Amino acid sequence: MSKRTTNILVPVISIILGLIVGAIVMLVSGFSPVDGYIALWNGVFGNSYNIGETIRQITPYVFAGLAVAFAFRTGLFNIGVEGQLIVGWLAAAYVGYAFDLPKIIHLPLALLAAAVAGGLWALIPGLLKAKLQVHEVIVTIMMNYIALHVANAAITALSDGGEKTEKIHDSASLRSPFFESITDYSRLHWGFVIAIIAVIVMWFLLEKTTRGFELKSVGFNQHASDYAGMNVSKNIVLAMVISGIFAGLGGAMEALGTFGNISKMTAFTGIGFDGIAVALLGANQPFGVLLGAILFGSLKNGGLNMPNEAGIPVEIVSIVIALIIFFVASGYIIRITLERLSKKKKEEK
C-alpha cells in the first residue's frame, strides 16, 4: 500500500470508527443513531444559517490551533492559549469602543491590540523558560487564571460596575452585511479570511524563512542549536510571543466579529484548551490545523442541533463528539495497523 493511499485512508477510517462507536453509545443510551447523525448533519449543513454559524465557530479554533501548534513545532507546550485569547479579546474590545477612527485605521489597530496583548501575555512564560528554565506548562496554566480574573476586573472598571463593555464601533467591526444576508443573518464575519491568511503566514514563517528554521531547530535540540551559533534564549521567547499573537487574534475574532464586546466570565471559554485538540488533529501542521479546526468546529456547532432535533441529551452529544475526535487523534495506531496488514499481504504473495 502506497504512503499516499495510507495518508488518505487513515483519517477516513478514523472518522468512520468514531461514528460507529458513537452510534453504539447512542443505541445503548436508548437513542436513534440515524436520527442523531441526521441532526448533526443538519446542524452543520442544514441551511445557510447553520453553514454561516459553523464557519463562524471554526474561525477562533483555527487561531487557537495555530497558537498551540506553533509552540509545539518550536519545542514548547503552550497551555496558556486560553488566557492569551482572553486578554486579546479584552484588548480588541477596548480599542474597538474607546476610539473613533476611520475603519481603515480602526480595525487594523484593534487587531494589532489583540495581537500585542496575546504576545505580551505569552512573553512572561517565555522569559521565565529562557532565563530561569521554569517549565512553560506550569506558568501558562497559572496565567490562564490570572487572565480570567484580570479581564473580569478590567470589565468591571471599564463598565462602571457593569457586566460587559460597550459595543464596539462599526469602524472596528469584522461583521459583514453581505455574509449575513447570504447566510440568513448568521454571525459569519470576515474573520475566516484572516484565519486563512494566518495559516499561510505560519506555514511561510516555519518552512520558508531562516528564522523559522532557527525556531524549529531550537525546538528539536537546544544544545545543537547553541553549538551552531543560534541564540536559544531569544528563539524560545520569540516562539512563545508568536504563539501568543495567534491566540490573541483568536480573541479578536470574538470581540470584533461574533459578540462585538466582552462580558465578565464565570469560567473559561474553552476555545484555548480545544486548540490543543485541534493542533493534535492537524499534526501541528498549519494546513492540518485548518482541517482539524473545520472538523472540530463542525462537530461543536452541529452537535448543538442534536438535542433539539433528535432529543439526544447534551451529555451524550459530548461523548459522541469526543469519541470521533479520539479516533481521529489515534490515527497513528490505525496507520501502523494498515502498514502491518499491507506488509503481511506482501509476505503471503
Side-chain angles (χ1 to χ4, degrees):
M1 187 181 296
S2 68
K3 186 176 180 180
R4 184 178 180 181
T5 304
T6 303
N7 290 338
I8 294 172
L9 283 176
V10 168
V12 173
I13 294 173
S14 301
I15 294 172
I16 291 172
L17 285 174
L19 292 172
I20 291 171
V21 178
I24 293 171
V25 170
M26 283 189 276
L27 274 174
V28 171
S29 304
F31 300 98
S32 168
V34 175
D35 292 342
Y37 286 136
I38 289 174
L40 176 64
W41 176 268
N42 290 337
V44 179
F45 302 109
N47 53 51
S48 60
Y49 176 84
N50 288 343
I51 293 172
E53 282 296 305
T54 298
I55 297 173
R56 194 254 338 146
Q57 181 79 59
I58 290 166
T59 302
Y61 283 133
V62 173
F63 285 99
L66 290 176
V68 176
F70 192 91
F72 270 139
R73 292 289 299 277
T74 54
L76 299 168
F77 195 5
N78 185 5
I79 306 290
V81 171
E82 179 73 20
Q84 294 148 23
L85 183 143
I86 290 172
V87 297
W89 188 340
L90 175 65
Y94 173 75
V95 171
Y97 82 81
F99 299 94
D100 194 1
L101 300 166
K103 193 176 185 72
I104 195 171
I105 298 173
H106 201 179
L107 179 55
L109 183 64
L111 290 170
L112 179 63
V116 170
L120 288 176
W121 205 256
L123 174 66
I124 299 170
L127 285 172
L128 291 174
K129 171 75 173 181
K131 302 299 182 183
L132 302 175
Q133 298 302 307
V134 180
H135 204 292
E136 72 275 8
V137 170
I138 297 171
V139 180
T140 51
I141 287 175
M142 293 299 100
M143 290 197 70
N144 284 333
Y145 291 93
I146 297 171
L148 176 66
H149 295 297
V150 165
N152 283 342
I155 292 166
T156 300
L158 293 171
S159 61
D160 295 326
E163 295 295 313
K164 57 186 177 182
T165 61
E166 296 176 29
K167 283 286 186 179
I168 62 170
H169 298 302
D170 289 339
S171 56
S173 178
L174 286 168
R175 298 294 287 270
S176 166
F178 172 71
F179 289 141
E180 291 176 1
S181 65
I182 64 174
T183 57
D184 197 20
Y185 299 98
S186 73
R187 292 175 292 175
L188 178 61
H189 53 78
W190 283 106
F192 80 94
V193 176
I194 300 174
I196 294 172
I197 293 172
V199 169
I200 297 171
V201 167
M202 177 174 162
W203 168 80
F204 183 82
L205 176 60
L206 287 177
E207 305 300 336
K208 300 296 180 180
T209 66
T210 304
R211 178 59 65 188
F213 176 79
E214 284 193 19
L215 290 169
K216 290 188 293 182
S217 297
V218 170
F220 284 130
N221 192 318
Q222 292 184 13
H223 299 295
S225 299
D226 186 47
Y227 182 76
M230 299 177 190
N231 190 327
V232 173
S233 295
K234 178 182 176 181
N235 280 292
I236 289 173
V237 174
L238 182 60
M240 281 299 295
V241 169
I242 293 173
S243 177
I245 287 172
F246 282 124
L249 287 171
M253 299 302 104
E254 302 297 85
L256 308 178
T258 303
F259 298 102
N261 63 0
I262 182 171
S263 302
K264 292 176 70 174
M265 305 174 192
T266 56
F268 292 121
T269 67
I271 297 171
F273 297 117
D274 289 340
I276 299 171
V278 171
L280 292 174
L281 288 173
N284 299 317
Q285 301 294 326
F287 295 102
V289 166
L290 177 60
L291 296 176
I294 289 172
L295 175 63
F296 206 93
S298 297
L299 290 173
K300 281 281 187 177
N301 194 65
L304 297 174
N305 192 49
M306 292 172 75
N308 299 327
E309 189 174 318
I312 299 173
V314 176
E315 293 78 9
I316 302 296
V317 173
S318 298
I319 292 171
V320 171
I321 292 174
L323 283 168
I324 294 171
I325 293 168
F326 170 79
F327 278 100
V328 174
S330 304
Y332 181 72
I333 300 172
I334 298 170
R335 182 182 297 275
I336 291 178
T337 304
L338 288 173
E339 288 175 354
R340 286 183 177 178
L341 288 173
S342 179
K343 187 177 180 181
K344 189 176 180 182
K345 284 182 179 179
K346 287 180 181 180
E347 289 174 354
E348 288 175 355
K349 290 180 180 179

